[in-house]
Amino acid sequence: MTSPKPADPTSPAQHAGGPLRGIILKVLSVCFFVVMATLLKATETVPTGELVFFRCFFAILPVLGYLAWRRQLQSALHTRNPRGHVLRAFIGVSAMGLGFFALTRLPLPETTAISYATPLLIVLFSAVLLKERVHVFRWTAVLVGLVGVVIILWPRLTVFSSGDAMGDAATIGAIACFVSAIFSAFAMMQVRKLVQTERTETIVIYFFICATLLSLLTVPFGWVWPDPRQWLLLIAAGFAGGIGQLLLTSCYRYADMSVIAPFEYVSLILTIILGLIVFAEVPTLTMVFGATIIVASGIAVILREHYLGLDRVKAREANTP
């Protein structure tokens, strides 16, 4: 008869508050990210590269303060893969820039719904490029989710009904938003590689530093001097993004990713509410229908991963003497 295994002190379940605290932190992080996007959209005339700069530069400050308070600043700055961080930053800045550009062209809920394609694309790219094994259930969920993306995009892709589609701001914004989701998927795949040798806080801090520097390359393409209102919005957006990142990092200490991940979709409800209140944006039935399909397929993938994870744990325990 084998003796019971000692509890793992690093397991999320061992932290005070457990899954409920993790869920609360996740929802709070979603709220801060939605507020960040709303503030950036409200700046109206600020160029995309400038939005990226303010979002990243002022996000560094709360992150540095938090790490200094925890006495982890020195360890966070230590890296064994600087090239990996630069590559992740280049891909991430591309995704961020395209996403912010889409914010200026599309309603807030629509950009949020299209961005939900990212986890579906990660499954697709992992199977095709990394040769990861993907079963029929996940393939079906991914394909159904991508159908939802097409449903949202189709009304915007007027290229099929108008000869001057690229002059349509909404069409360009929709394309940019989907390409942003593609870049985000590649960025997350790069993060998967980084976590094998790098600490989470190291990945976060180096992304913000590299992204801030890369955004400065867009200065020659036209930056504007913000008015007082825009200064306030930009600085607040940066801090909101930094706080959201800290909350997101912390939530995984208290619960497994499969428990927390579905609460990402709270952002759709929040963006619909803020879109109505702040920008008078009324979501279309097509957008709501497509978003519902994407969310359902995303949750299906998450639940499937959860059950597969449980099966792998049971298999390991069964094979442990």
Side-chain angles (χ1 to χ4, degrees):
M1 183 175 179
T2 59
S3 58
K5 296 180 181 180
D8 181 2
T10 64
S11 172
Q14 301 302 318
H15 288 273
L20 179 59
R21 187 169 183 179
I23 290 170
I24 292 173
L25 289 171
K26 172 64 175 181
V27 172
L28 286 174
S29 76
V30 168
C31 292
F32 273 96
F33 284 130
V34 170
V35 168
M36 178 201 74
T38 305
L39 293 171
L40 291 174
K41 183 176 178 63
T43 58
E44 297 177 347
T45 59
V46 177
T48 301
E50 195 170 350
L51 293 179
V52 173
F53 172 81
F54 277 96
R55 184 264 185 267
C56 295
F57 178 78
F58 285 100
I60 293 176
L61 301 182
V63 173
L64 289 177
Y66 175 76
L67 293 175
W69 174 65
R70 291 182 61 89
R71 298 182 180 179
Q72 296 176 341
L73 187 55
Q74 184 175 356
S75 61
L77 292 173
H78 175 71
T79 176
R80 288 177 284 180
N81 190 1
R83 291 183 179 179
H85 288 292
V86 173
L87 177 60
R88 182 266 191 272
F90 180 79
I91 301 172
V93 166
S94 300
M96 188 182 296
L98 288 164
F100 290 171
F101 176 81
L103 271 178
T104 66
R105 300 295 191 275
L106 293 175
L108 187 60
E110 197 165 326
T111 58
T112 301
I114 296 173
S115 71
Y116 291 158
T118 296
L120 304 176
L121 292 169
I122 290 174
V123 175
L124 177 63
F125 295 152
S126 296
V128 175
L129 301 177
L130 303 181
K131 307 302 180 183
E132 291 185 5
R133 188 177 181 183
V134 177
H135 296 283
V136 175
F137 181 90
R138 278 202 295 167
W139 271 123
T140 303
V142 168
L143 292 175
V144 170
L146 292 178
V147 168
V149 174
V150 171
I151 289 174
I152 297 174
L153 291 176
W154 192 259
R156 300 297 187 186
L157 300 182
T158 53
V159 67
F160 299 103
S161 60
S162 170
D164 190 31
M166 296 312 293
D168 186 344
T171 298
I172 299 173
I175 295 172
C177 195
F178 184 65
V179 176
S180 171
I182 294 174
F183 274 104
S184 294
F186 281 116
M188 291 303 100
M189 291 170 68
Q190 177 63 16
V191 169
R192 281 184 181 179
K193 295 180 181 179
L194 286 172
V195 296
Q196 296 175 9
T197 59
E198 305 291 288
R199 297 162 62 95
T200 300
E201 54 268 28
T202 302
I203 297 172
V204 171
I205 196 66
Y206 274 103
F207 172 71
F208 283 145
I209 292 173
C210 293
T212 299
L213 296 175
L214 287 172
S215 67
L216 292 175
L217 298 177
T218 65
V219 172
F221 298 97
W223 279 27
V224 299
W225 186 258
D227 60 34
R229 171 181 166 276
Q230 290 173 329
W231 272 109
L232 181 61
L233 292 172
L234 290 167
I235 294 173
F239 273 93
I243 295 171
Q245 189 66 54
L246 290 173
L247 292 168
L248 180 63
T249 302
S250 298
C251 73
Y252 294 114
R253 297 177 182 174
Y254 300 95
D256 294 329
M257 185 177 293
S258 58
V259 174
I260 290 172
F263 290 90
E264 175 68 30
Y265 298 114
V266 171
S267 61
L268 183 60
I269 299 173
L270 296 175
T271 53
I272 289 175
I273 294 172
L274 288 175
L276 280 169
I277 295 174
V278 181
F279 306 110
E281 297 171 341
V282 180
T284 64
L285 291 177
T286 301
M287 192 283 294
V288 173
F289 180 57
T292 301
I293 293 175
I294 298 171
V295 170
S297 62
I299 291 176
V301 170
I302 292 167
L303 292 177
R304 180 62 174 172
E305 286 297 306
H306 176 62
Y307 288 127
L308 288 176
L310 291 178
D311 290 341
R312 286 191 289 267
V313 170
K314 290 178 181 178
R316 284 198 299 269
E317 290 178 345
N319 292 324
T320 301

